[in-house]
Amino acid sequence: MNFSLMSAPERDFETAKNQLVPLRFITCGSVDDGKSTLIGRLLWDTKAVKTDQASKLKSDSKAQNNGLDLPDFALLLDGLQAEREQGITIDVAYRYFSTSKRSFIVADTPGHEQYTRNMATGASTADLAIILVDARAGILEQTKRHAMIASMMGIKQFVLAVNKIDLVDYSHEIFEKIANEFLEFSLSLGVTDVVSIPVSALKGENVASNTGANLDWYEGNTLLTTLELATSRSAQTVGFRLPVQRVCRPNEGFRGYQGTVAGGAVKPGDSLVVLPASIPVNVTEIVTFDLVRNAAVAGDAITLVLDRNVDVARGDMICSLEAKPMMGKEFVADIIALASTGIEPGKRYWLKSASRRQRVRVEPFTTVDLNSGVWSDTERLEMNAIGKVRLKFEETAIFDTYAANRGTGSFILIDPEENTTIAGGMISELVAKNPQNLHDYKQGLVGDNLDESDDEKLVLMALPVAIAQKLQKSAIFEELKYDIAVTRIKRKNFKLLSEQKD
Amino acid sequence: MNLTQPEQKPPEQKPVLDPHLKALENEAIFIFREVAAEFENPVMLYSVGKDSSVLLHLARKAFFPGKIPFPLLHVNTGWKFEEMIEFRDQVVKNYDLDLISYTNPRGAKENITPFTHGSARYTDIMKTEALLTALNAGKFDAAFGGARRDEEASRAKERIYSFRTPEHKWDPRNQRPELWSIYNGMINKGESVRAFPLSNWTEADIWRYIRAENIPLVDLYFAKKRPVVERDGMLILASDKRLEIAKGEKLQELWVRFRTLGCFPLSGAIRSRAQNLDEIISEIQTATVSERQGRAIDRDQSGSMEMKKREGYF
């Protein structure tokens, strides 16, 4: 083979870089905080912009003068003509860049309130959120709203980019104040992995490199280094899940179930169960184009061959015997309304989750004010509203909680007349037959080992005071308060999970 | 005709894909299976280029050990590079594929050529109109395409499932939100979806995957001394008899290859010595121009790709 054009270290570089799956992140923040400029800067500084695109950029941005003889980076992202005309980002744009260490997929999401749904779309697949604020303006309501949506969508890592730091004379004090305010807010959302970075996206300070003495008081990493070091979503640890996408029957002798592993792992010989019919089966073979494999893990697209001929169809889920998902006809979920029609109580929608599509009625019961974080009762959810709903199915549904498994805990709602996607949702718990009783909420608040048949039992969980207080403010707590006992106890009397390992 | 790269290792020694490519492959296979399960009559657009070659490879993987459960559609303008058509026929034979080749009869009837009608008008009739006629004729409710979001600004906002009206129109301002990997495939009769399994791939990913998976390609992607003429700033391959060399144009033998392939009068070659995949990958890593730079149809006016897409172009 001819390696003459590629020196050995370069190849090592290339190998090292692809040992990680791409990091998916979103950028969010208020209008005019400079999101598109920041992403444009990242693309520019990582050489993802080519000269023909740059010359087009320069011709497009003649009218605008940022005084730096640089192209208007925002134009890189606002690709659609409508956006060029309006000067704002109206949809999610996906961009790709890479460094010597890692590849990135960034969803540039809109700042305008009416486009909250697009932000949720970008957040649904992201591992990390860059929350951008203007150093002159500090944390705004929209900043909090976006951070809240990001955390609801399951993002556990925040990077606060305090932009336009040059316009406040690189003030350490202003930066600290904004960073502290944001950290406090993030903690209240349950997000503890927060990195704050002072940047000037326009000038490129602290984005890809830390040059000059303007920010000599800042000792942390640049934005790009922080992204390189971020973790991708950790492997899902619940049991094996294979939502069956299709049945492969090329001839009489072969019958395989095709799908992508949504959790856990599988190997030949494993005993599994086909849901919702609850048929026990054993794995004989894992078939892929390349070879017959001896194991498959979450994320792998496989064809599973079972030891017996059972009736398995698209929409069924093949699962571990010992860690089954929840099955039932009524669930509670968090939902974001995406369409102008909002969510109509009692209307019959289509729900699609993994490979399963079924009829559901949706009953909203609370909604959160995104500015104050306060929950209140409601029966309707308007577009861009976030709320909690009861899902009532006509046939058995199969879910994990979204916290346990993003793939089997998420769903979309489809309007049966318009065929439009009207909501995205995240399962929080199963509701059993009698929702008045505490034991019916067997997931979530009260642990998952509660015996359904025993009305007399309670589960005792010891929580740090801060978390308990947060729980007490939640909608579900409010609903259950007559079935819950609260008392304060001494920390030293209990062994935490982390201390019980050995 | 040589369908395998000369320097590939035998399959049993094939190394495991790196996690980055594996993740992209898994995503594409998921999309293929989802569309095949949800739609009644899908078709795969096959342009014979590198992205189509990757797409085809992924489709074979997705449905293995079964056959690809839908036909391939090649919109043949009649002005493709000869090598492309030879390669296409060989691939169809080797993999036992069901191929539909469609050429708009207006081309021959009205003598529409890229030389006489200009790239915009020619593309409109021989590509867009041809594609829509073929899709309507087959009553296809889903069409796979090899478009990638990193190619061009308006594609950056394309969904994985891109909804089209019965007139095949794309409304970029009114796209269905797409959360997680849950795709909404519900449509009314006459409407359709374009599905893009390679949405999240970059040009570098495509090349690295071709190398890792040993995927055969049209020889034009590899540098060679070829006869070319320079026209409108592009190097046009001068091997087809229909190319008339104008006064003042000079036929030259240059080391060139193609970064993208389409109709030969509209696809510019680049000067290159990259004769194998390693050299191509090295070349694009240091390239300072984007791959669509050689495409005449993108240059008509700013935003021209978005306009073509709204009208139904892939």
Side-chain angles (χ1 to χ4, degrees), chain B residues 29-40:
Chain B
I29 291 176
F30 176 82
I31 295 162
F32 266 117
R33 289 173 173 174
E34 201 63 7
V35 172
E38 283 198 306
F39 292 86
E40 279 171 25

Side-chain angles (χ1 to χ4, degrees), chain A residues 70-127:
Chain A
L70 285 170
D72 182 345
F73 297 123
L75 285 177
L76 272 176
L77 300 176
D78 295 343
L80 300 178
Q81 286 186 339
E83 292 174 350
R84 290 201 208 105
E85 286 151 17
Q86 292 181 24
I88 56 162
T89 311
I90 58 167
D91 202 341
V92 187
Y94 293 92
R95 289 289 164 177
Y96 305 81
F97 66 94
S98 60
T99 67
S100 57
K101 297 196 178 67
R102 194 168 202 181
S103 305
F104 301 93
I105 302 177
V106 52
D108 183 33
T109 58
H112 286 252
E113 186 179 353
Q114 64 267 40
Y115 299 119
T116 297
R117 61 202 188 113
N118 290 326
M119 209 217 104
T121 304
S124 71
T125 50
D127 303 306

